[in-house]
Structures are given as structure tokens and as C-alpha cells.
Amino acid sequence: MRKINQFIFFVLIGFGLSFAQFSTKSNIVRINIYKSFDKVHPRSQLKLAVAADIDSSFHINSNKPHEDFLIATQIKINSDTFKVIKIEYPKAQDIKLSFSEKPVSVYQGKVLFGVLIQVPDSLEPGSYKIPVEMTYQACNDQSCLPPANLKSEVEILVVNNKTQINEINADIFSKLNLSYQNSPSNVAFSTAQKGSVSEVLESSGIILSLLIVFIGGLALNLTPCVYPLVPITIGYFGGQSEGKTKRLILLGLLYVLGMALTYSVIGVVTALSGAVFGTLLQNTFVLIGIALVLVVLSLSMFGVYEFKLPDKWVAKAGNAKAGTFGAFFMGLTMGIVAAPCIGPFILGLVTYVASRGDVFYGFLLFFVMALGLGLPYLFLAIFSGKIKKLPRAGDWMEAVKHIFGFLLLGMAIYFIAPIFPKAFNSYLLPAFMFFAAFWLLFIDKMANNVKGFRIFKIIFSIVIMLISVYAMLPSSKNEPEWVKFSNEKYSQAINQKQKIILDFYADWCIPCKELDASTFSDSRVIKESSSFKMFKVDMTKTASEETESLRKQFNIIGMPTVIFINSNGEEVKRLTGFVNADEFLSIMKQVN
């Protein structure tokens, strides 16, 4: 009975005492509608944001008021064409009113509602209007107005799959916790597969998210580009601190901190710019700079000088002992060295940070990920000091450092090779490997009097020579009949109703090479590819105008990216990382 009396009271107040107010406050709530893309493809998804501006002297009930008789705020999409997947309501506030016995759940000021809609598969290109309706009841501390409806509409332009679409209003949608669901769309942010990094993080709290990226950072140590950091780390720290554990822990922490800082800055800047992760590594001057740094580091391994900053610089930075800032700088450099092997995990993290648009949150995620990446090197730094306690003959340690020096020079060549023509750069590193192994085996006689080390050096040098010779042999590997991409050939294939596979690759991309070596060379994949038009799209020179145009045209975030297009010219699948031949073949057979 009490609730019925309250309801009658609200109605009387609404229609009686505040009728005069209602007549002068007809614009108590104002709404604007925003969309996440300027155009959409059939079979894709689109976010809508309903921004409500509530008069400062009023509030409206939330979507879940505490009393049954209160009118809840609702957002409705009155369309038979577009399906509503999810509606996201803002966080409500509980306030105490003079006529209410308990707090009331309300929205005040400026609030944002999110709507995720599905575009039908067979929708014809054209302009469509989606009606949006907001039902609410406004109240102040003394009275409530009658329930009201606000109606508006948003125009949606549907285009074919060959037309480029662009993300808009990113600052608005970064405030909504509204993620795309699984959908074979051309839109980069809506192609996240179930279990992807962005999807997992979207549904996780901050603590769990940080734990996920930390474990992911640890797992990145299993990627090929990170392997060279192991001997480099041992070699560098083995020559520091005379094996004092406390000193090694300090140096190791600074080394890991430097690596974490590099990844945080590069990752956030890249994510917020929307550019391909690794773009820095495609700038000629950046490549030359990295190569020079590696050469400088290698010279210290050959005994040309000891690697440390001038004492005056160290003193100004806090009267630190020699080597501490060297370790920090080493970590900064090694963070860049490991960048090409970031893989699909980092690609998903970049996508997620870009969609959030939150600089601090992005920095925090990348920083924690890099701590996971660098943690094993803290233990390597501590362990490396024990090497000095092995046979104390200086020749033995110097000989080990020579090997590390050649490794650093090899990495310098690896980074600078893309600058040269392909016909030349594919032989550059193998030729250097052969030279280095020959030098260690026949010319560098240091520590040959240590039997165990001499045996190791002989075996190591022979293995490197065999690998280098094998790498220089002409490849007899089979592969699909790739066609160099051009818009003319691509359009022709679309018009001829051909099934298409687009492989976006780069010379610096390790997973791309794995796809070529393991997946595309599989006889079953080659046989199935005969029913496709197979395009190779070279994205190595990311800074070029042509590459940037292709990136925007196909919404490419990172490499490798493989796009499957059916005979109707529709994208049906997108891969953003390495998959084995079995999985790739399964996808090929599903494309009609």
C-alpha cells in the first residue's frame, strides 16, 4: 500500500505542482547521436553513442531504479533492418531526496549510452536511417515530471567491401565499455577473434589485465628475435661488477627498466597514432642508427674500449657507480632489438590501447608487458657474474667476448640489410656468418690452450659455417603462384568473381617468414591455392606513400595480415599472425 501511495504522490506532483515547470523546461534533456565509422560494410558491426545532456537542476531515473514504480530510462532502436547486439548504460548515482525514504538511482549532468548494432549480410549499398528513442522521467528534489520520449535518428551509409571506411569520434567511444563481438567485418577493431588479446582485456579488470600482459611478456621470450639477447646479456654483465651479486642485481634491474621504458614509449606512441607497430624500424635513419649502436657495443667486446658513460655524466645523474647507466642504456637498446618479434600478442595489445585512447592505461599495460619480457634477463644478469668465477684466465673471458662481439655485428647487419636490394641482402648475413666462423676457427687463437673452450669453439664455428652455406644455397621450396599486388589486378579478380587471398608481409617480419617456410610451402596449401587468386602485398617500406595507401585501404594494423575474400568480393576471414598449415587449409576450404 505504501508503494501505491508513493506512486499516486509522484503522479500528482508530476502533473500538478510541477506542470508550470514542465511548460518552461521542455528541453530538460537533450541528446546527440554519434557513430563509430563514417561508412559500414554489410556483415559488419557499428557502435552508436547517445550523448544525453541533462539540465543541472534535474536528474533522470537510471535504467534500473530501486523502486518498481519509478520510470526507468531506456534506449530503443526501432529498426527492422539493423539488429541490436548490446546496449551499454552509464554508471548510475544514488542520491537522497526529501520525499524519498531511501536513495534513488539516477543519471545527472552529461551521460553517455552505447549501442552496438549488426549490419545485415545481404544489405544493399545505400543510405539508411536508424530511429533512436530515449524514454525517461525527470525529477528534482521537490517533484517529478511526467515520463517523456525523445526521438532522433542517425543516417548510416552502407558501402560495398571494396570501399574504404574510416573510424570517427574515437574520443567519444573511448569512454564506452562497448567491444565489438565476433564478426567477419573489414573493420580492424571488429575482426578480433574469440580469445584475442583485446577481447580478453576488454572483459577483464585492471589487475587481471596486467597479469595477462605480464605472462604474455614472459612468453615473448620464446620468439626467435629475442634469442640473441641471451648471450649478449650474459656477455655484457659477465664483464661487469666482478661477480658481486648485489651489484649485478642493481645492474639487472636497470637493464630491465630500460627495456620496459623502450617498449612502453614505442608501444603507446604507435598505438595512439594507429600506425603499424614496427614503423620506426623501417625508417632508413633509424635502421642505420640501431646498426651503429650495435657496432659500438661490439667494439667494446673486442676490447677496443670499455663500455661506460663518462664519469662526469654519471656523477651528475646521482653520483652512481660506473656501469649503472650503461646497463640502463643497454636495456633501452635491447628493447628495440627485440621489437620485430612482437607477434600477434602485441598486435592485439596495440589494437586494444588504440581503441581505448587512454595514454596512461596504454603506458601501464606496455610497461608491465615489458617487465614480463625483461624478467628472465634479471636472472641472466645475476648468473652472468658467476662466469667470472670460472677459470680466471683473462684469455678465456676475452675469447668469449669475441664471440659475443660477432653476434652483435651480425645483428647490426640484420637490421641494415633491408636498405640494400633484395638480391643482395639475402646473402649479406649468411656471408658474414661464414666469415665470422672462419675467423674464430682459423685466425682467432685466443684461449685455444683451454681444451674445453677450444672444443666448444670448433664445434660452434663449424655449425655456423654449415648454417651459412645452407642459407646461401638456392631455395627449391615450392610455394603458391603469388601475384604482385596492384589495384588493377585486384579489381579485375573481384569483377571475375575469383576467390582471393591477400598476404600482407614485410621483410623485417619474422612471423611472415614462418608463414612462407611452414604454411605456404605445404603441398596441401599449394594445391588448394590453385582455386584462389594469390596476391603478395609488400609492406616493408612502411613510410612510403604507396604502402600507407594500402594500409588505409585494407585497414592493416600489423604484419603478417592475411585476408580471405570470397567470390562475391566479401572479406570472410582475417589472420593477424602465424597459423600452421592445417588451420590455414581449413580456412581456405570454408571460402566459397
Side-chain angles (χ1 to χ4, degrees):
M1 178 64 72
R2 183 179 65 84
K3 288 189 176 182
I4 295 176
N5 291 336
Q6 283 183 327
F7 176 73
I8 295 173
F9 171 79
F10 272 86
V11 172
L12 288 175
I13 292 294
F15 283 90
L17 296 178
S18 43
F19 182 81
Q21 286 183 333
F22 180 72
S23 63
T24 59
K25 293 274 188 179
S26 58
N27 201 25
I28 290 173
V29 180
R30 300 163 294 280
I31 63 171
N32 288 303
I33 304 175
Y34 303 90
K35 52 190 179 181
S36 56
F37 295 99
D38 59 347
K39 300 177 284 291
V40 296
H41 295 148
R43 208 179 186 185
S44 67
Q45 295 173 0
L46 176 72
K47 293 178 184 178
L48 298 179
V50 181
D53 187 0
I54 306 167
D55 189 278
S56 59
S57 60
F58 280 81
H59 61 261
I60 63 176
N61 297 324
S62 73
N63 64 309
K64 293 181 179 179
H66 298 324
E67 297 286 4
D68 296 338
F69 57 82
L70 294 176
I71 305 299
T73 296
Q74 289 186 313
I75 299 294
K76 297 180 181 178
I77 303 296
N78 300 313
S79 174
D80 296 329
T81 304
F82 298 90
K83 176 185 175 183
V84 176
I85 299 176
K86 180 181 179 182
I87 296 179
E88 181 74 22
Y89 287 90
K91 184 178 181 180
Q93 303 176 47
D94 284 355
I95 62 173
K96 186 71 171 66
L97 301 176
S98 59
F99 54 76
S100 174
E101 296 180 2
K102 64 180 182 179
V104 181
S105 178
V106 303
Y107 300 133
Q108 299 183 99
K110 296 181 179 180
V111 290
L112 207 57
F113 303 84
V115 182
L116 181 63
I117 64 172
Q118 177 72 47
V119 182
D121 298 3
S122 57
L123 195 62
E124 294 294 328
S127 179
Y128 297 84
K129 292 184 178 180
I130 302 178
V132 180
E133 181 179 350
M134 178 178 175
T135 302
Y136 68 93
Q137 184 180 35
C139 302
N140 58 21
D141 192 42
Q142 297 176 335
S143 60
C144 286
L145 302 180
N149 287 336
L150 279 178
K151 294 183 178 181
S152 185
E153 58 184 18
V154 58
E155 185 175 3
I156 305 298
L157 183 61
V158 179
V159 295
N160 60 45
N161 288 305
K162 293 182 286 185
T163 304
Q164 179 182 333
I165 61 177
N166 301 296
E167 185 187 13
I168 56 177
N169 302 316
D171 56 330
I172 294 175
F173 288 97
S174 66
K175 302 172 185 176
L176 288 171
N177 183 23
L178 194 66
S179 60
Y180 292 102
Q181 308 297 317
N182 291 334
S183 171
S185 164
N186 275 7
V187 182
F189 294 120
S190 64
T191 54
Q193 301 174 13
K194 185 176 182 180
S196 69
V197 175
S198 59
E199 184 175 299
V200 173
L201 292 178
E202 191 72 44
S203 60
S204 306
I206 181 64
I207 301 301
L208 182 57
S209 297
L210 294 177
L211 178 61
I212 290 171
V213 297
F214 180 80
I215 294 173
L218 282 173
L220 288 177
N221 286 287
L222 302 176
T223 56
C225 286
V226 181
Y227 292 157
L229 298 189
V230 176
I232 293 172
T233 303
I234 294 175
Y236 176 75
F237 287 100
Q240 304 282 325
S241 74
E242 299 298 330
K244 296 177 182 178
T245 303
K246 290 183 180 179
R247 176 94 173 132
L248 285 169
I249 291 175
L250 173 62
L251 293 177
L253 288 173
L254 288 170
Y255 179 78
V256 173
L257 182 62
M259 185 181 292
L261 183 61
T262 296
Y263 267 93
S264 299
V265 173
I266 293 178
V268 171
V269 170
T270 305
L272 294 183
S273 68
V276 179
F277 192 84
T279 296
L280 290 175
L281 295 176
Q282 307 324 305
N283 184 293
T284 300
F285 295 105
V286 173
L287 290 173
I288 294 174
I290 293 174
L292 288 175
V293 168
L294 291 170
V295 170
V296 169
L297 292 173
S298 71
L299 293 178
S300 70
M301 293 294 177
F302 290 113
V304 177
Y305 50 79
E306 183 181 1
F307 179 77
K308 71 173 188 176
L309 294 180
D311 292 338
K312 290 183 179 179
W313 293 14
V314 176
K316 288 182 179 179
N319 199 25
K321 293 182 180 180
T324 54
F325 281 86
F328 181 73
F329 178 74
M330 187 80 168
L332 291 173
T333 306
M334 293 303 101
I336 298 175
V337 168
C341 270
I342 58 174
F345 182 88
I346 302 300
L347 180 57
L349 194 58
V350 166
T351 302
Y352 178 64
V353 172
S355 66
R356 294 268 306 200
D358 188 328
V359 175
F360 174 76
Y361 187 69
F363 181 90
L364 184 62
L365 284 180
F366 273 96
F367 188 82
V368 172
M369 181 279 301
L371 289 180
L373 176 67
L375 182 62
Y377 300 98
L378 175 61
F379 293 100
L380 282 176
I382 298 172
F383 168 76
S384 65
K386 309 306 178 185
I387 294 178
K388 295 289 280 187
K389 295 184 179 180
L390 292 174
R392 299 186 61 85
D395 285 350
W396 184 83
M397 279 303 301
E398 289 301 315
V400 171
K401 288 171 65 177
H402 288 183
I403 295 176
F404 294 147
F406 279 117
L407 285 173
L408 284 168
L409 287 175
M411 294 177 68
I413 292 173
Y414 171 81
F415 278 102
I416 207 170
I419 297 175
F420 301 100
K422 285 186 178 181
F424 177 74
N425 69 28
S426 59
Y427 296 100
L428 193 59
L429 187 57
F432 172 79
M433 291 169 57
F434 186 89
F435 167 79
F438 183 88
W439 182 279
L440 290 171
L441 188 60
F442 297 108
I443 299 177
D444 191 344
K445 304 295 185 180
M446 186 171 287
N448 279 356
N449 59 323
V450 181
K451 183 178 178 181
F453 176 75
R454 184 174 72 252
I455 293 173
F456 163 77
K457 189 171 72 168
I458 291 173
I459 295 174
F460 175 79
S461 300
I462 292 174
V463 169
I464 294 299
M465 292 178 74
L466 291 175
I467 292 175
S468 62
V469 170
Y470 178 78
M472 288 188 285
L473 293 175
S475 175
S476 57
K477 180 186 66 178
N478 294 325
E479 61 180 2
E481 293 185 12
W482 293 107
V483 177
K484 184 178 179 181
F485 179 86
S486 71
N487 275 309
E488 181 181 354
K489 293 178 181 178
Y490 175 68
S491 298
Q492 185 180 6
I494 292 288
N495 294 332
Q496 292 176 352
K497 302 292 185 180
Q498 292 181 287
K499 295 187 295 183
I500 298 171
I501 292 179
L502 298 164
D503 175 31
F504 294 84
Y505 76 98
D507 290 344
W508 44 266
C509 167
I510 298 297
C512 298
K513 299 180 188 298
E514 292 177 355
L515 274 175
D516 286 335
S518 303
T519 303
F520 294 145
S521 62
D522 188 278
S523 58
R524 298 167 299 164
V525 172
I526 295 172
K527 181 179 179 181
E528 188 68 25
S529 70
S530 61
S531 62
F532 288 82
K533 189 73 172 181
M534 307 286 289
F535 286 104
K536 275 278 191 185
V537 190
D538 190 352
M539 305 288 282
T540 301
K541 297 180 179 179
T542 313
S544 70
E545 184 177 343
E546 179 183 1
T547 303
E548 184 66 13
S549 176
L550 288 170
R551 186 183 72 82
K552 291 180 179 179
Q553 179 181 348
F554 292 97
N555 303 293
I556 303 300
I557 296 179
M559 271 64 73
T561 295
V562 181
I563 299 176
F564 299 81
I565 297 175
N566 64 19
S567 57
N568 294 323
E570 300 169 338
E571 178 182 333
V572 294
K573 188 70 175 179
R574 177 179 295 227
L575 301 176
T576 55
F578 173 79
V579 296
N580 59 38
D582 291 334
E583 185 177 349
F584 197 88
L585 185 64
S586 175
I587 297 171
M588 293 176 76
K589 291 180 177 180
Q590 295 174 20
V591 181
N592 299 317

